[in-house]
Amino acid sequence: MPPAPATQPGSWRFGSVEWLALLLLLLVVFRDPLADTVSDPRLQTWTTVFVSVLVQAMPFLVFGVVLSAVIAVFVPRSFWARALPRHPAAAVPAAGLAGVILPGCECGSVPIAGSLIRRGVTPAAALAFLLAAPAINPIVLTATAVAFPGNPEMVAARAAASLTVAIAMGWLWLRLGKSEWIRLPRRSDLDDSSRARAFWAACRHDVMHAGGFLVIGAAAAATINVVVPESWLQGLAADPVLSVLVLATLAVLLSICSEADAFVAASLSQFSLTSRLVFLVVGPMVDLKLISMQAGVFGRRFASRFAPVTFVTAVVVGTGVGVVLW
């Protein structure tokens, strides 16, 4: 029996990425009719939150995926040797500050950090960028200023605390991190002789890999929004210690995109400014969808160690900055 003819390099077929894009498009277009078919208000809330998280995060995920593919395919390794200080300890703060110029959220920073490591950037510097970029880029800081018009110091507090956590985690990785904890998937697609084909293959891979974990995180966040009673938060806001821990945990569970979390924090007016600052510092660094995406890109061993330590560091630094200011 003759073998099936191979697919021609230039041919196009409707694959998994196209199906995912079509599904997301249909969810957005038919969001209202789908909500009307669900009679239970709790299910309506779940559907609304799930779709909202995807709609918020997907543009930035796509931005990060495209930028990641550009870094992986078109940027030579020698560029990073020139762009960052050679000493790893000095490269960490430099990479953290680089987050100021990239307008993206945590969904895009994960694949970008993976590409940086593949291109020879020390993992500590890539991880500092991963944590800093979603919290100190111009879009996020502008949104924070708009959300807190009566507290302009919140912008500086968020930037300072987030950058401090990112640099501290980078230096901590230099001290205690092990290379075997990071297991980037093998990317034979990047070895294609055609840069155009390698670029498209890298985009397809990252959209499916990171996008699948984003869907899981969005579903978890929607479930938490439905399950946790809002009345529980009212009695905890008065306690200064519990309020910090509650909002830090809430930031992890809600998984709100960093471009939108300032408005949510501003609406939690029953909580102190310090606890709301912790909410803004923790959210872009440790949340359900981000942990899921980190596990998909860097491996479960990495996520199980990196996320808890980042959470504790963010709570401590955010609280410290808040106590100093307020």
Side-chain angles (χ1 to χ4, degrees), residues 14 37 41 52 91 101 127 137 163 174 187 213 219 246 264 291 298 302 307 315 319:
F14 204 80
T37 60
S52 297
I101 63 174
L127 296 178
N137 71 70
L163 184 59
L174 277 178
R187 301 296 300 276
F213 284 95
V246 166
V264 176
I291 294 172
F298 300 108
F302 169 84
V315 170
T319 303

Side-chain angles (χ1 to χ4, degrees), residues 214-228:
L214 172 61
V215 171
I216 294 173
T223 302
I224 293 297
N225 273 270
V226 172
V227 171
V228 177

